[in-house]
Amino acid sequence: MNLILKIWRQKNPKTMGNFVTYRMDDVSPEMSFLEMLDALNKKLVEEDKDPVAFDHDCREGICGSCGMYINGHPHGPVPAITTCHLSMRYFRDGDTIWVEPWRAKPFPVIKDLIVDRSAFDKIQTAGGFISVNTGAAPEANSILVRKKKSDEAFDSSVCIGCGACVAACKNASAMLFVSAKISQFALLPQGRIEAKERVRAMVEKMDELGFGSCSNTGACEAECPKQIKLTNIARLNREYYKAF
Amino acid sequence: MGKLNSKIPDGPLAQKWTKYKASVKLVNPANKKKLEIIVVGTGLSGASAASALGELGYSVKNFCYQDSPRRAHSVAAQGGINAAKNYQNDGDSIYRLFYDMIKGGDYRAREANVYRAAEVSNDVIDHYTALGVPFARDYGGTLDTRSFGGVQVSRTFYAKGQTGQQCLLGCYSSLNRQIKKGNVTMYPRREMLDLVVIDGKARGIIARNLLTGEIERHAAHAVVLATGGYGTIYYLSTLAVNSNASAAWKAHKKGAFFANPSFIQIHPTCVPQLNEFQSKLTLMSESLRNDGRIWVPKMKDDKRPANSIPEEERDYYLERRYPAFGNLVPRDVASRAAKERCDAGYGVGETGLAVNLDFRDAIKKQGKKAIENKYGNLFEMYKTITGIDPYEEPMRIYPAGHYTMGGLWVDYELMTTIPGLYAIGESNFSDHGANRLGASSLMQAAGDGYFVLPNTISNYLADEIRVPKISTDKPEFEETENSAVERLNKLISIKGKQTASSFHKRLGKILWDHCGMTRNEEGLKKALTLISELKKEFWKDLNVPGTINEINMELEKAGRVADYFELAELLVTDALDRKESCGAHFREEFQTPDGEAQRNDEKFTYVAAWEYAGEGKPHILHKEELKFEEVEMKVRSYK
Ligand SMILES: Cc1cc2nc3c(=O)[nH]c(=O)nc-3n(C[C@H](O)[C@H](O)[C@H](O)COP(=O)(O)OP(=O)(O)OC[C@H]3O[C@@H](n4cnc5c(N)ncnc54)[C@H](O)[C@@H]3O)c2cc1C
Ligand code: SF4
Ligand code: FES
């Protein structure tokens, strides 16, 4: 199939960016979206032009590196998948596809489709851990956890830190991301001990870094490739009120 | 043995590690703070080492090329992590885990290291559980396990199909705690370009800031490489596409021997190649072989849809050839068996390079719900990629490059042949011999980082306490930086026509065809010629746009591919030199009449450790003879 791509090009954080139009011919429906961009970049490099910069690594939906707005949706129009898993069979011959970086104040654009998500790491550093030294752990089966709770904790723990939730939110709120980590630990006995300090530290850091507040729109849940649920945010709020 | 001293402690196997720890030199807390350690890599091995060393009080600098340590390739591991807990009461023990790894590795691993890896495996599970890793549990609240290939016990702990992610996030959390405390400084988006060696000791690295192109000097009293495997040398593999051998290769050129480079595991169950721009081959976890049955049609070139081929016309070739282990034979055996069927014309799909992995019987017996509980996310992923629903039709799978047993040579203390340079996790060669058993790599990587290295590194650092902070103004830093910059300039100034990836693809094809699942002398010799020709073409016709002083992903790729050309030559040389078949290294000339690998223990019971001898000179082979004191060497049979 033949496509028209409108891709956001921006040289660095300081310069203004703009959309540049590229024609892509003979795209196979079996390619992934990133493989289609690889093909475009191959062409650009062969013409000695600057290829489109984007983050990616695992290319199987788990590392959280990739992420871009595609036709107005973070990670593209197909729900519950990452950009690297988006197949070109969802597009039609003649389509025009708009490609943009995450847009959110706490995630400044670095180049083209690459943004700076280090704010997420800072939030995790503030409190996203259980304080146990190597070698000090008790025998694993001495900590019993109800299967249901453990499964719930797992469902929260699968967040890949991609940032789509922030990009989707009109307030650039990081509540879904933060609530996923808070929930994982809040649901497990190992995590209860520091629950209060953790939630306070992470929320404080999140506010300090300029993420907006949650107005319960639910765009984050709708766009999250790992289907992290809004109920996590409710749990985060409960944990936060309990912490004072 | 010459330059190789594996430093295996004396005494009975089961007591070596305990004895070692009891007598190892220690560094007192006040001195630890003054000692700096560089850890390159934030996968299971690197992040665990950095955090454990931080907890001990050392000053740690941790590097990765991704934007966050949480994205290291370990995140993609699916199936599980082994430990000898014997929670199932099925006869498991540290000894049995050790034995399975030695046998699975086809008697080409060092007994003492493997035993220790099995020994610390239980501590790893305890630690992850305490860190809040949500491993699967049973209704009574205890941890659940499952079986993996090549073993007859159930010892694999798992978190659905995302065990690597959950373990890595556990490591990342312990790393964050040390970052907050100021014991670890994190340097993401950095690529190590070279190792700095001063007076024969590893003293630092040259790194490139991938956002600004700035070249940085970092000094330390010791350097730890945790940079992962080089499976992407085949271009198409199950690894994260930016995985590379560059850090290890640069260390090799500075004096670290490279061991068994040709021992590369080809994983039997991956999504086959679908298009020419394909950038990776997604793994379908080995755990699927617990319930999926592998088959091809009995008739050649049978193009009927799988579901319309009647039972009696299906060849369940693994069950037929290996009745004792059936679909759960080790990876090397399963991969070769698939290749054998496809080469003989029985493969399925458009290319004929695929076999069926069928869940029909399991769904019939256990119900769709049960299968969904176990493999839901893998089935989803398969459907996302291929558009085919594995609940309705068999998956199509084919082998792909997956794991490198080979890597930097290390002694019992995980130190390379450069004093003060350590290699842990997949970047070393140590624990898996000629073939790795499933779920034992996460185990080794985390064991190395959390429990082994923090104990062994003090033996070296205890003698370094009087060495003041190392200055980056030393001439060795200057020289190393200059040569790194010179190389970047060389790559960028070729100004040819072809992309780094297109060279990488062609290099990968040469290796896959001639040094992949099976090898033979003629093919290997041909590969050497082809690689050398392509390498010349690379240095004449590569194009890297842009400059070195900015984000330049083409430049990053070009550097990695350039190193892969050199490693590829060594890999093929190693495969040529080893005139036997063992584990993943299958030389067609050396097989039994029924097509199984034939070892030559008399001549090849050694680790091949290669020394770099200088540009254009042949590598020098050093042999570490392997002694099997505990385990009797047998023909590895899974029949
Ligand atoms: C798809 C897949 C599934 C797997 N499933 C399992 C499983 O179920 N069980 C199991 O036991 N094993 C599994 N494995 C194997 C296992 O995941 C790896 O062997 C293991 O995670 C390696 O960990 P590591 O710490 O050695 O390195 P990695 O996790 O590969 O980390 C390498 C690190 O080094 C850094 N790095 C590399 N080069 C440089 C450089 N030049 N400069 C700076 N930083 C650098 C990277 O940024 C990264 O942080 C799987 C592997 C694959 C490919
Ligand atoms: S919550 Fe979802 S969208 Fe947000 S970072 Fe995690 S995986 Fe991405
Ligand atoms: S590249 Fe890893 S999630 Fe997309």
Side-chain angles (χ1 to χ4, degrees):
Chain A
M1 61 185 138
N2 300 333
L3 303 167
I4 305 287
L5 301 174
K6 305 266 187 186
I7 300 181
W8 184 261
R9 302 301 310 261
Q10 182 172 337
K11 200 142 181 50
N12 57 47
K14 288 179 205 103
T15 53
M16 294 275 282
N18 61 298
F19 283 102
V20 177
T21 307
Y22 300 94
R23 270 191 68 103
M24 272 303 286
D25 292 342
D26 300 324
V27 173
S28 147
E30 294 195 320
M31 283 177 168
S32 71
F33 196 83
L34 295 187
E35 284 162 1
M36 188 272 297
L37 289 183
D38 289 342
L40 169 67
N41 279 345
K42 179 169 189 280
K43 221 169 70 178
L44 292 174
V45 174
E46 281 165 358
E47 294 163 5
D48 203 26
K49 292 188 183 133
D50 189 24
V52 180
F54 60 91
D55 269 326
H56 66 103
D57 202 12
C58 74
R59 298 219 176 181
E60 57 179 74
I62 194 74
C63 73
S65 293
C66 68
M68 51 193 83
Y69 254 88
I70 301 166
N71 286 345
H73 289 280
H75 294 301
V78 182
I81 58 169
T82 53
T83 307
C84 56
H85 263 165
L86 177 63
S87 164
M88 292 311 291
R89 57 176 183 273
Y90 294 108
F91 297 91
R92 295 285 156 265
D93 187 39
D95 277 359
T96 297
I97 307 176
W98 293 81
V99 189
E100 298 168 73
W102 289 164
R103 304 235 187 244
K105 214 169 99 215
F107 290 167
V109 175
I110 292 173
K111 183 181 179 185
D112 298 341
L113 306 173
I114 298 182
V115 300
D116 179 356
R117 287 172 293 193
S118 56
F120 267 11
D121 289 311
K122 293 191 182 107
I123 297 174
Q124 299 288 4
T125 302
F129 49 77
I130 291 172
S131 300
V132 52
N133 277 351
T134 310
E139 207 287 324
N141 264 350
S142 67
I143 310 168
L144 299 179
V145 187
R146 270 172 66 91
K147 181 171 165 53
K148 193 168 163 287
K149 284 260 174 177
S150 164
D151 287 350
E152 262 184 277
F154 174 85
D155 290 341
S156 301
S157 72
V158 297
C159 161
I160 57 174
C162 64
C165 46
V166 174
C169 177
K170 60 183 191 312
N171 309 322
S173 165
M175 286 288 271
L176 196 63
F177 168 77
V178 175
S179 70
K181 194 85 243 163
I182 290 293
S183 290
Q184 176 194 344
F185 288 154
L187 286 160
L188 296 172
Q190 305 92 299
R192 288 300 333 162
I193 298 153
E194 295 165 281
K196 289 185 178 178
E197 294 81 358
R198 177 179 308 115
V199 70
R200 272 162 33 192
M202 289 178 78
V203 168
E204 189 184 311
K205 187 52 102 183
M206 168 179 93
D207 291 343
E208 178 195 316
L209 291 166
F211 291 98
S213 41
C214 173
S215 49
N216 285 316
T217 317
C220 52
E221 181 186 51
E223 300 291 1
C224 170
K226 296 293 144 182
Q227 298 177 287
I228 301 292
K229 295 277 165 290
L230 279 181
T231 45
N232 288 293
I233 296 187
R235 188 178 297 104
L236 167 60
N237 287 327
R238 281 200 304 279
E239 289 289 322
Y240 190 69
Y241 296 129
K242 276 198 295 193
F244 290 92
Chain B
M1 209 174 285
K3 295 191 185 176
L4 295 176
N5 177 2
S6 51
K7 295 198 220 142
I8 300 169
D10 296 334
L13 187 63
Q15 282 153 35
K16 284 183 196 293
W17 182 231
T18 312
K19 262 184 68 183
Y20 174 89
K21 282 189 292 182
S23 58
V24 70
K25 282 183 257 176
L26 301 176
V27 178
N28 84 22
N31 283 328
K32 282 197 182 107
K33 233 180 271 153
K34 289 187 255 164
L35 291 170
E36 292 183 296
I37 305 175
I38 285 174
V39 179
V40 188
T42 59
L44 245 55
S45 62
S48 58
S51 50
L53 294 169
E55 287 162 18
L56 288 170
Y58 293 108
S59 297
V60 181
K61 295 181 181 182
N62 194 193
F63 295 78
C64 69
Y65 66 69
Q66 292 90 349
D67 69 328
S68 163
R70 67 177 291 157
R71 309 202 198 284
H73 164 65
S74 291
V75 79
Q78 301 174 349
I81 175 164
N82 285 337
K85 286 281 193 186
N86 192 30
Y87 282 164
Q88 306 292 346
N89 193 28
D90 56 1
D92 203 7
S93 62
I94 289 170
Y95 186 87
R96 194 177 285 275
L97 173 52
F98 151 76
Y99 177 82
D100 285 342
M101 284 174 74
I102 290 283
K103 175 185 171 193
D106 219 357
Y107 307 93
R108 292 294 175 263
R110 195 189 284 151
E111 273 189 343
N113 285 52
V114 177
Y115 193 89
R116 178 181 59 193
E119 224 177 325
V120 301
S121 69
N122 292 340
D123 300 335
V124 169
I125 297 303
D126 293 344
H127 191 52
Y128 277 141
T129 304
L131 286 173
V133 171
F135 287 126
R137 287 180 186 266
D138 213 337
Y139 287 98
T142 54
L143 294 173
D144 194 18
T145 55
R146 60 185 171 201
S147 291
F148 255 51
V151 303
Q152 289 170 314
V153 293
S154 173
R155 64 160 75 100
T156 305
F157 295 81
Y158 65 100
K160 284 206 179 149
Q162 279 123 289
T163 316
Q165 180 198 26
Q166 293 311 315
C167 291
L168 187 68
L169 292 180
C171 290
Y172 171 67
S173 72
S174 59
L175 182 63
N176 273 317
R177 179 166 160 249
Q178 294 311 309
I179 295 173
K180 186 176 184 183
K181 287 190 163 177
N183 297 334
V184 177
T185 311
M186 191 61 225
Y187 295 87
R189 291 208 198 259
R190 300 297 199 289
E191 176 137 326
M192 168 178 160
L193 295 181
D194 209 343
L195 178 77
V196 179
V197 178
I198 302 178
D199 298 331
K201 290 179 172 174
R203 288 301 191 199
I205 64 169
I206 302 295
R208 181 167 175 269
N209 180 327
L210 299 178
L211 292 186
T212 61
E214 201 180 325
I215 305 292
E216 304 169 340
R217 301 176 184 184
H218 296 275
H221 294 84
V223 177
V224 180
L225 296 186
T227 47
Y230 50 91
T232 49
I233 198 164
Y234 289 119
Y235 187 71
L236 286 176
S237 80
T238 61
L239 276 83
V241 298
N242 298 312
S243 305
N244 66 86
S246 290
W249 189 252
K250 291 297 170 27
H252 170 61
K253 291 176 86 169
K254 283 277 159 81
F257 293 3
F258 210 105
N260 300 335
S262 71
F263 288 176
I264 305 186
Q265 177 167 82
I266 311 293
H267 199 293
T269 54
C270 308
V271 180
Q273 186 172 1
L274 301 168
N275 75 78
E276 67 160 316
F277 270 95
Q278 193 140 336
S279 51
K280 89 164 288 179
L281 298 172
T282 302
L283 174 75
M284 288 288 119
S285 167
E286 176 155 300
S287 58
L288 293 169
R289 287 198 274 144
N290 270 303
D291 288 300
R293 297 178 70 196
I294 295 180
W295 63 275
V296 293
K298 280 187 180 160
M299 196 169 75
K300 263 190 195 176
D301 299 318
D302 191 339
K303 292 292 169 213
R304 285 176 292 174
N307 283 340
S308 58
I309 299 180
E311 187 61 21
E312 58 283 4
E313 292 177 40
R314 301 176 174 199
D315 177 14
Y316 296 92
Y317 58 86
L318 288 177
E319 297 169 26
R320 168 169 62 77
R321 283 177 68 179
Y322 307 99
F325 282 70
N327 290 295
L328 283 174
V329 290
R331 295 176 174 173
D332 55 335
V333 177
S335 289
R336 278 196 297 277
K339 179 179 189 316
E340 187 277 329
R341 283 294 81 189
C342 294
D343 289 353
Y346 297 92
V348 300
E350 254 134 66
T351 55
L353 287 178
V355 300
N356 293 313
L357 176 61
D358 200 340
F359 294 88
R360 185 195 62 182
D361 296 351
I363 292 172
K364 221 185 278 167
K365 200 164 148 216
Q366 304 168 36
K368 190 175 162 185
K369 191 83 209 138
I371 296 299
E372 194 184 322
N373 274 340
K374 285 195 241 181
Y375 313 115
N377 66 322
L378 293 169
F379 277 40
E380 282 295 312
M381 179 140 88
Y382 182 84
K383 195 175 165 197
T384 304
I385 297 167
T386 63
I388 296 168
D389 181 359
Y391 292 107
E392 302 297 329
E393 279 176 60
M395 287 183 179
R396 279 187 193 150
I397 50 155
Y398 197 66
H402 178 61
Y403 181 88
T404 45
M405 282 75 71
L408 292 176
W409 185 90
V410 288
D411 61 20
Y412 188 74
E413 298 184 309
L414 304 181
M415 201 199 282
T416 67
T417 46
I418 301 178
L421 178 70
Y422 293 79
I424 58 176
E426 194 173 340
S427 72
N428 73 25
F429 87 104
S430 91
D431 294 354
H432 309 291
N435 174 56
R436 173 173 74 82
L437 288 184
S440 55
S441 168
L442 295 182
M443 168 192 123
Q444 177 228 337
D448 281 1
Y450 276 128
F451 295 101
V452 180
L453 181 85
N455 281 296
T456 60
I457 204 167
S458 67
N459 210 28
Y460 176 77
L461 290 174
D463 295 330
E464 295 286 316
I465 50 176
R466 276 174 210 88
V467 178
K469 202 176 155 76
I470 311 232
S471 158
T472 54
D473 294 333
K474 297 208 176 219
E476 287 85 351
F477 272 95
E478 171 108 36
E479 280 158 30
T480 314
E481 177 180 327
N482 288 347
S483 76
V485 172
E486 193 186 314
R487 190 169 118 119
L488 295 175
N489 281 326
K490 200 169 150 198
L491 287 165
I492 215 155
S493 57
I494 301 172
K495 289 280 164 247
K497 284 266 163 295
Q498 303 179 58
T499 64
S501 294
S502 62
F503 281 108
H504 191 173
K505 234 184 246 189
R506 286 161 71 196
L507 173 66
K509 177 99 175 49
I510 298 173
L511 288 173
W512 183 249
D513 288 348
H514 301 294
C515 198
M517 269 182 281
T518 67
R519 298 113 190 236
N520 62 54
E521 183 167 331
E522 193 193 326
L524 290 168
K525 287 190 169 149
K526 188 167 158 201
L528 277 181
T529 318
L530 292 172
I531 293 167
S532 132
E533 284 166 11
L534 191 60
K535 187 170 149 192
K536 280 191 204 115
E537 191 179 327
F538 173 87
W539 286 104
K540 268 197 214 116
D541 199 30
L542 171 75
N543 189 29
V544 177
T547 69
I548 68 170
N549 307 314
E550 59 184 342
I551 293 188
N552 192 334
M553 292 182 167
E554 288 299 311
L555 181 64
E556 294 165 32
K557 283 189 223 166
R560 293 166 188 163
V561 177
D563 291 333
Y564 268 157
F565 273 111
E566 297 177 17
L567 173 56
E569 288 175 333
L570 183 61
L571 205 149
V572 174
T573 306
D574 183 54
L576 256 178
D577 197 70
R578 193 171 276 277
K579 295 181 182 59
E580 65 160 351
S581 294
C582 60
H585 171 66
F586 192 85
R587 283 281 300 259
E588 286 159 9
E589 303 94 315
F590 308 102
Q591 52 179 309
T592 61
D594 52 351
E596 304 299 335
Q598 196 158 41
R599 290 197 322 259
N600 182 343
D601 290 339
E602 208 176 304
K603 288 211 175 110
F604 293 97
T605 309
Y606 63 75
V607 176
W610 298 90
E611 179 183 4
Y612 182 73
E615 203 70 52
K617 292 198 191 126
H619 272 75
I620 300 163
L621 174 63
H622 301 266
K623 297 176 183 175
E624 180 198 341
E625 300 294 338
L626 293 168
K627 288 192 204 76
F628 290 90
E629 289 167 352
E630 200 69 34
V631 175
E632 187 196 343
M633 295 174 81
K634 287 195 194 135
V635 174
R636 198 170 61 125
S637 167
Y638 294 94
K639 296 208 176 217

